[in-house]
């Protein structure tokens, strides 16, 4: 087990697809995490007559958001300030007005509501990845737990669990999200995460259960049992490691589908309108006015990169894990 | 095999009930308009209570261990009136509202009360007597004589307060319809309401309208709810009136009926929000929409558009994916395989909204728009079956029988098409049956862009207006549809591959 694991990581590390996917996803994650440094009305740091202010845009975000450009200039007059690349936030409309074209202040222009498009796309990365990663992780945890249980249990509860997995697995995700959207008074990212995790776990559980069933009949499990290993230890040491690989693979694809789902939800504008920047929302704006091609192409491209990278990662993982996969490299010693 | 499929189909029933329970539980957290403090401040407390009651918000969600019926309500009101303290006024109003239905639970206990409490109670019943047309006004409102009046009344006519006599009075009214029969029922007051409104049917012809008018007149008189069918009303007005009465009865039945014996057991489940919803769903085609139509009718009107798009998209996608997958399996390692993989992945990752907006310009709206929507949706669906086809065919091509066919001199094309494809198709087709629920989200997007009136439009509107009835119906319908597809795909598998048939029967229900 150990050598093949090391083998797997070595193969993954040298795969060009994995490298490209990691660079793309990593860049987008960094952009999402450090969005305030890239686009914010407040300076990153200011040194001047009021002493040193580090990251005022993060620490006093609401104060800056309500100020106009001139007020901020006045506040920091005479300061030595490091300004972010884009000096606008994603929510407040700028003075340029709606649909301004590309300029130095607005590298990508403004959207239909006069907000800086570049800032919205930067913060959209935070929404997309901040939503999909927790949702997928939560789904994976639930799926591995319940799928493992379904693989180990026998009789009545096994059947109930299988039926549950089958039902949830075929239940349309969009309806779960619609239900959650109807419940909440204010749309929040957390509810979407929970809604997506509620549906996603079933796919992971199905895969894990199949692997657990398969592994349970292997000779090494029988041998472990014959040696007197307790069931929990057999499950943890001998069965679970086999099941984790497909779970991770499905989760990598899951990132793609969650990002697409979030885009679809923002596009459909289900539920109360949200001020949070999202690529799907920008797409919806562009769809409403097809002459503004920028509003469709840019978020579309970003979605393409995110989804493509996570799909590529999943594909590379599958090839690395599954020896039956068509692209799997022949291991040394195999004919 | 068919037996197995039928059993699976039967098993979907408990699954659907489970789905409806979970969905109902989720939707019970939907903020109701009456929860809004601004709205609550704009109406009187009394009206707010009524509004909340009509939305069943006074009931528990799933289990009502202490369902309120006329007996309990009457006992509370009697206690309030007899005490004569601050709640007496509300108690008097409640007794007037409960009317005749409460008498079997009030009058037998009359003699057990101390004299002054008995008098207070008798006076509180005066409005009921007036409504029933019994006794003289002096008699019922004179403190000295009221108690004696009610004791005498119960001795004389208590026997008439029985289910059987009410039922025969109602059936006489329905059959012959005359003023004396009306008087019979009015004398029983609200005690007759269960049978009167139970006999009320949505009228179709003239005779039925007249019958409904006689019944609603009685109901309007005893409840003080002035909603009648006037002699000049046409069929639609009469039907609307009858439906209003039925809706009223669904809410207020427990005020006039005692839950005894089996009814009490049933009330534990039925006198709940879920019970009321389920009854409405069964009797009224999944309940009423805000515009008055039945939810099921609306679902039936809109589903063909959405399902049409979804199925057309699946067919289009599989028509493209099977050859693409076959080519890339046959050309493993070639540049062509890489190109196909990139193109298919590209299709998958382009957001449906983007494709839809582009294709919308090409196809426009109308019937071409439906095709455009299906085409839009099919782009995202190509990736999964292509990959599945590629790996399943690639595995098949290395099997002994394909190798043997090649050795006998069959060309690569023939080996792939005749020997490989047939066996590799099975897992791909299994996937197709499960694709529909996954494609629903994309279908909503495509519908919106192409301006089609499908499920998506209604669902977005339902989320906005917090229309729980629609969401319940949609959730159950899609779960039911998905379950049927799972069974169908199993059936298809066993038909395509006879080896699987017995295996599936043996493994019982462990799908």
């Amino acid at each position: 087990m150990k050598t093949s694991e090391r083998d797997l990581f070595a193969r993954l590390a040298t795969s060009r697809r994995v490298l490209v996917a990691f660079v793309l996803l990593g860049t987008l994650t960094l952009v999402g995490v450090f969005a305030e440094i890239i686009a914010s009305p407040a300076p990153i740091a200011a040194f001047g007559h009021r002493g040193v202010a580090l990251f005022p845009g993060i620490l006093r975000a609401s104060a800056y958001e309500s100020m106009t450009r001139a007020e901020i200039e006045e506040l920091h007059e005479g300061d030595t300030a490091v300004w972010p690349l884009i000096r606008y936030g994603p929510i407040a409309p700028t003075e340029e007005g709606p649909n301004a074209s590309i300029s130095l202040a607005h590298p990508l222009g403004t959207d239909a509501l006069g907000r800086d498009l570049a800032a919205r796309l930067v913060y959209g990365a935070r929404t997309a990845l901040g939503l999909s990663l927790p949702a997928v992780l939560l789904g994976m945890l639930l799926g591995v737990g319940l799928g493992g249980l379904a693989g180990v249990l026998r009789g009545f509860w096994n059947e109930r669990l299988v039926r549950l997995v089958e039902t949830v697995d075929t239940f349309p995700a969009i309806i779960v999200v619609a239900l959650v959207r109807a419940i909440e008074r204010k749309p929040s990212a957390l509810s979407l995460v929970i809604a997506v995790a509620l549906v996603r776990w079933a796919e992971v559980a199905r895969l894990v259960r199949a692997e657990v069933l398969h592994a349970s009949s292997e000779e090494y499990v029988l041998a472990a049992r014959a040696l007197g290993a307790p069931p929990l230890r057999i499950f943890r040491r001998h069965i679970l490691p086999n099941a984790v690989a497909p779970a991770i693979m499905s989760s990598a694809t899951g990132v793609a589908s969650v990002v697409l789902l979030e885009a679809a939800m923002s596009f459909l504008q289900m539920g109360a309108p949200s001020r949070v920047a999202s690529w799907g929302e920008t797409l919806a704006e562009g769809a409403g006015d097809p002459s503004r091609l920028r509003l469709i192409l840019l978020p579309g491209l970003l979605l393409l990169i995110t989804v493509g990278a996570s799909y590529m990662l999943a594909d590379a993982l599958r090839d690395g894990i599954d020896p039956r996969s068509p692209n799997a490299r022949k291991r040394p010693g195999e004919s | 095999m068919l037996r197995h499929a039928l059993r699976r189909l039967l098993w979907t029933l408990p699954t659907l009930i489970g789905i409806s329970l979970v969905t109902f539980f989720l939707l019970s957290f939907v903020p109701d308009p009456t929860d809004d403090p601004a709205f609550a401040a704009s109406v009187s407390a009394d009206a707010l209570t009524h509004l909340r009651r009509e939305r069943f918000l006074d009931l528990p969600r799933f289990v009502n261990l202490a369902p309120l019926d006329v007996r309990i309500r009457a006992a509370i009101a009697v206690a309030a009136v007899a005490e004569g303290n601050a709640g007496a006024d509300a108690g008097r109003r409640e007794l007037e509202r409960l009317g005749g239905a409460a008498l079997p639970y009030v009058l037998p206990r009359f003699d057990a009360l101390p004299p002054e409490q008995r008098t207070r109670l008798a006076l509180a019943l005066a409005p009921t007597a007036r409504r029933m047309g019994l006794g003289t006004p002096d008699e019922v409102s004179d403190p000295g004589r009221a108690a004696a009046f009610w004791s005498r009344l119960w001795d004389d006519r208590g026997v008439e307060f029985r289910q059987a006599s009410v039922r025969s009075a109602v059936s006489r009214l329905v059959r012959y319809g005359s003023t004396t029969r009306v008087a019979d029922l009015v004398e029983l007051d609200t005690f007759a309401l269960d049978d009167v409104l139970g006999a009320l049917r949505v009228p179709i012809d003239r005779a039925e309208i007249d019958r409904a008018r006689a019944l609603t007149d009685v109901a309007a008189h005893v409840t003080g709810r002035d909603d009648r069918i006037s002699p000049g009303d046409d069929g639609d007005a009469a039907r609307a009136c009858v439906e209003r009465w039925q809706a009223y009865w669904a809410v207020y039945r427990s005020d006039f009926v005692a839950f005894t014996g089996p009814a009490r057991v049933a009330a534990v489940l039925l006198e709940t929000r879920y019970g009321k919803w389920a009854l409405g769903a069964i009797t009224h085609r999944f309940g009423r929409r805000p515009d008055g139509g039945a939810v099921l009718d609306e679902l039936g009107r809109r589903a063909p558009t959405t399902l049409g798009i979804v199925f057309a998209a699946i067919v289009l996608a599989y028509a493209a994916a099977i050859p693409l997958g076959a080519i890339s399996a046959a050309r493993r390692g070639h540049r062509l395989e890489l190109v196909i993989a990139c193109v298919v992945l590209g299709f998958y990752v382009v957001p449906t909204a983007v494709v839809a907006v582009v294709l919308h310009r090409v196809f426009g709206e109308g019937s071409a728009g439906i095709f455009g929507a299906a085409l839009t949706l099919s782009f995202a669906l190509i990736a999964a079956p292509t990959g599945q086809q590629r790996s399943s065919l690639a595995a098949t091509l290395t099997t002994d029988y394909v190798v043997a066919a090649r050795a006998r001199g069959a060309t690569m094309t023939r080996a792939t098409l005749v020997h490989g494809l047939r066996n590799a198709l099975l897992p791909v087709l299994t996937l197709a049956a499960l694709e529909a629920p996954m494609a629903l989200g994309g279908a909503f997007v495509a519908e919106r862009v192409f301006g089609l009136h499908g499920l998506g439009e209604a669902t977005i509107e339902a989320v906005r207006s917090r229309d729980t009835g629609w969401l319940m119906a949609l959730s159950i319908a899609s779960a039911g549809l998905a379950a049927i597809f799972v069974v169908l795909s199993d059936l298809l598998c066993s038909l395509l591959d006879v080896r699987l048939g017995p295996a599936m029967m043996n493994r019982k229900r462990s799908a």
Side-chain angles (χ1 to χ4, degrees):
Chain A
M1 201 65 226
K2 272 278 173 282
T3 46
S4 83
E5 250 170 43
R6 209 171 299 142
D7 197 33
L8 170 67
F9 282 116
R11 266 181 294 147
L12 285 180
T14 52
S15 159
R16 212 166 352 139
R17 275 181 298 171
V18 173
L19 194 69
V20 172
F22 259 113
V23 168
L24 289 177
L25 281 181
T27 314
L28 280 175
T29 311
L30 286 178
V31 166
V33 170
F34 297 108
E36 270 93 358
I37 293 181
I38 301 169
S40 164
I44 299 169
F47 315 93
H49 54 280
R50 276 167 218 236
V52 179
L54 270 178
F55 303 115
I58 301 171
L59 301 175
R60 294 187 291 135
S62 55
Y64 276 95
E65 203 182 291
S66 56
M67 275 191 268
T68 64
R69 181 71 181 264
E71 281 171 344
I72 295 171
E73 296 274 359
E74 198 186 307
L75 186 70
H76 290 288
E77 207 177 352
D79 289 3
T80 316
V82 184
W83 293 97
L85 230 56
I86 302 152
R87 292 184 56 181
Y88 294 97
I91 290 163
T94 62
E95 300 91 72
E96 302 286 321
N99 298 331
S101 54
I102 294 167
S103 63
L104 205 62
H106 301 287
L108 298 175
T110 59
D111 69 0
L113 294 173
R115 299 168 297 195
D116 185 84
L117 182 56
R120 280 195 79 73
L121 293 181
V122 164
Y123 283 82
R126 176 178 285 182
T127 311
L129 293 169
L131 182 73
S132 57
L133 293 180
V136 164
L137 282 181
L138 196 61
M140 190 164 97
L141 279 180
L142 269 174
V144 169
L146 286 169
L149 214 56
V152 172
L153 287 179
R154 291 282 167 272
F156 180 79
W157 284 108
N158 178 44
E159 264 177 40
R160 293 290 88 76
L161 261 178
V162 167
R163 190 70 48 228
L164 179 71
V165 168
E166 188 186 276
T167 310
V168 176
D169 197 22
T170 52
F171 197 81
I174 190 107
I175 293 182
V176 176
V177 179
L179 293 182
V180 171
R181 278 280 184 233
I183 292 171
E184 58 192 1
R185 285 157 209 266
K186 265 194 291 184
S188 67
L190 183 71
S191 61
L192 262 187
V193 167
I194 292 170
V196 172
L198 276 181
V199 202
R200 280 228 30 102
W201 69 267
E203 187 187 320
V204 180
R206 182 163 49 83
L207 295 170
V208 168
R209 175 174 175 272
E211 284 300 321
V212 168
L213 281 182
H214 186 74
S216 304
S217 60
E218 291 285 347
E219 273 138 13
Y220 54 81
V221 172
L222 279 177
R225 194 171 299 147
L227 285 172
L232 206 64
R233 185 187 154 82
I234 295 179
F235 184 71
R236 203 163 47 82
R237 298 280 302 171
H238 301 286
I239 297 179
L240 205 58
N242 290 300
V244 166
I248 292 176
M249 205 179 77
S250 141
S251 297
T253 333
V255 171
S257 63
V258 175
V259 170
L260 287 176
L261 183 68
E262 192 276 330
M265 289 308 299
S266 308
F267 180 83
L268 288 173
Q269 288 164 338
M270 223 176 233
S274 154
R275 294 162 74 223
V276 177
S278 129
W279 295 337
E281 196 257 7
T282 310
L283 268 178
E285 264 179 42
D289 179 9
S291 64
R292 319 271 306 142
L293 214 55
R294 214 154 24 97
L295 293 183
I296 295 179
L297 287 185
L298 290 170
L301 189 71
L302 285 169
L303 277 171
L304 198 97
I305 292 172
T306 317
V307 175
S310 45
Y311 202 84
M312 222 145 70
L313 197 63
D315 213 38
L317 272 174
R318 187 185 57 203
D319 290 348
I321 291 162
D322 185 1
R324 285 160 299 182
S325 139
N327 280 352
R329 293 201 194 159
K330 294 245 161 82
R331 293 182 193 192
E334 260 179 85
S335 58
Chain B
M1 192 58 223
L2 210 60
R3 244 184 70 200
H4 172 76
L6 276 178
R7 194 171 57 187
R8 289 283 304 273
L9 275 181
L10 272 181
W11 265 104
T12 59
L13 267 181
T15 311
L16 288 188
I17 292 173
I19 289 271
S20 80
L21 283 169
V22 172
T23 314
F24 194 85
F25 179 73
L26 273 176
L27 286 176
S28 67
F29 292 102
V30 168
D32 195 82
T34 54
D35 291 340
D36 186 6
F39 177 81
S42 70
V43 294
S44 69
D46 225 24
L48 190 68
T49 319
H50 273 282
L51 263 177
R52 289 185 66 79
R53 181 135 193 234
E54 268 154 32
R55 308 172 78 87
F56 304 119
L57 292 174
D58 58 327
L59 297 174
R61 284 192 184 94
F62 295 113
V63 180
N64 192 352
L65 289 178
L68 281 177
D69 64 354
V70 64
R71 231 174 353 164
I72 298 169
R73 286 177 203 275
I76 295 168
V78 164
V81 170
E83 288 293 320
N85 51 22
D89 242 8
R92 266 193 288 277
R93 275 202 305 279
E94 178 76 349
L95 273 184
E96 180 183 350
R97 196 172 66 86
L98 297 179
L103 292 182
Y105 311 102
V106 175
L107 297 181
R109 287 162 52 188
F110 231 54
D111 296 333
L113 292 172
E116 75 275 17
Q117 289 192 3
R118 199 186 310 165
T119 312
R120 270 203 290 268
L121 191 57
L123 288 177
L125 289 172
T128 307
R130 266 191 298 260
R131 200 162 64 201
M132 292 161 78
L134 295 175
T136 60
D138 290 349
E139 205 174 6
V140 294
S141 50
D142 177 0
R145 291 155 68 193
F149 164 76
W150 285 109
S151 298
R152 203 172 56 243
L153 178 94
W154 194 244
D155 290 342
D156 290 352
R157 322 187 64 151
V159 71
E160 283 174 30
F161 283 80
R162 274 174 207 284
Q163 199 79 51
S165 55
V166 177
R167 201 166 294 155
S168 63
V170 169
S171 67
R172 278 199 306 271
L173 174 69
V174 166
R175 209 169 304 153
Y176 312 113
S178 71
T179 42
T180 49
R181 324 267 177 220
V182 171
D184 280 353
L185 285 173
V186 164
E187 276 175 18
L188 291 169
D189 201 53
T190 51
F191 189 78
L193 212 48
D194 192 24
D195 287 285
V196 168
L197 290 177
L200 196 58
R201 299 271 173 273
V202 177
I204 300 163
D205 54 28
R206 198 67 236 171
E208 283 184 359
I209 292 177
D210 288 339
R211 223 170 288 160
R213 190 169 67 237
L215 289 169
T216 49
D217 277 347
V218 174
H221 176 80
V222 299
T223 58
R225 187 178 171 275
D226 196 24
D227 186 0
R228 300 167 198 253
I229 303 172
S230 50
D233 275 353
D234 60 355
D236 285 337
R239 272 187 285 279
C241 177
V242 166
E243 275 167 11
R244 279 196 300 276
W245 272 107
Q246 284 174 341
Y248 165 84
W249 195 235
V251 178
Y252 291 102
R253 180 170 184 268
S254 66
D255 286 5
F256 305 109
V257 175
F259 299 135
T260 48
R264 186 164 180 78
V265 178
V268 169
L269 294 177
L270 290 179
E271 285 298 307
T272 58
R273 276 192 250 170
Y274 181 77
K276 295 284 186 186
W277 171 82
L279 265 186
I282 293 165
T283 56
H284 282 101
R285 307 169 69 72
F286 275 102
R288 300 245 166 267
R289 281 175 63 70
D291 63 7
V295 172
L296 196 63
D297 296 341
E298 184 74 2
L299 204 65
R301 205 164 28 247
R302 286 176 178 274
T305 311
T306 305
L307 293 183
I309 295 173
V310 168
F311 288 117
I314 291 177
V315 170
L316 281 174
Y318 277 71
I322 289 171
L324 280 178
I327 292 170
S328 49
R331 290 267 178 277
R332 271 180 63 192
H334 276 241
R335 196 175 298 149
L336 193 60
E337 190 200 357
L338 191 69
V339 171
I340 289 177
C342 286
V343 168
V344 163
L345 186 61
F347 282 157
Y348 175 72
V349 299
V350 179
T352 312
V354 176
V355 183
V357 170
V358 174
L359 287 183
H360 181 232
R361 286 183 164 183
V362 180
F363 288 98
E365 292 184 2
S367 54
I370 293 182
F371 180 74
L375 195 64
T376 303
L377 197 53
S378 68
F379 276 93
L381 297 180
I382 291 180
T386 306
Q388 181 80 40
Q389 170 75 2
R390 184 186 64 154
S391 47
S392 112
L393 187 58
T396 316
L397 287 183
T398 58
T399 52
D400 292 341
Y401 55 86
V402 176
V403 176
R406 292 274 288 146
R408 285 200 304 271
T411 59
M412 190 65 201
T413 323
R414 187 180 155 78
T416 309
L417 289 183
V418 177
H419 300 279
L421 205 56
R422 245 178 70 187
N423 288 296
L425 220 49
L426 186 68
V428 182
L429 288 181
T430 328
L431 201 65
L434 305 176
E435 200 93 67
M438 304 297 120
L440 201 63
F444 284 10
V445 171
E447 263 175 35
R448 189 186 169 93
V449 174
F450 285 91
L452 299 170
H453 305 295
L455 296 176
E457 189 190 46
T459 305
I460 294 167
E461 175 55 28
V463 170
R464 202 191 55 71
S465 62
R466 307 195 193 277
D467 172 7
T468 52
W470 172 265
L471 293 173
M472 277 300 286
L474 186 70
S475 163
I476 293 169
S478 55
L481 215 59
I484 290 172
F485 283 136
V486 171
V487 176
L488 274 184
S489 109
D490 272 9
L491 204 62
L492 194 72
C493 272
S494 69
L495 287 181
L496 282 180
D497 190 338
V498 278
R499 287 168 304 179
L500 281 179
M504 268 179 169
M505 306 262 250
N506 289 338
R507 73 182 174 158
K508 284 172 71 186
R509 294 189 298 273
S510 61

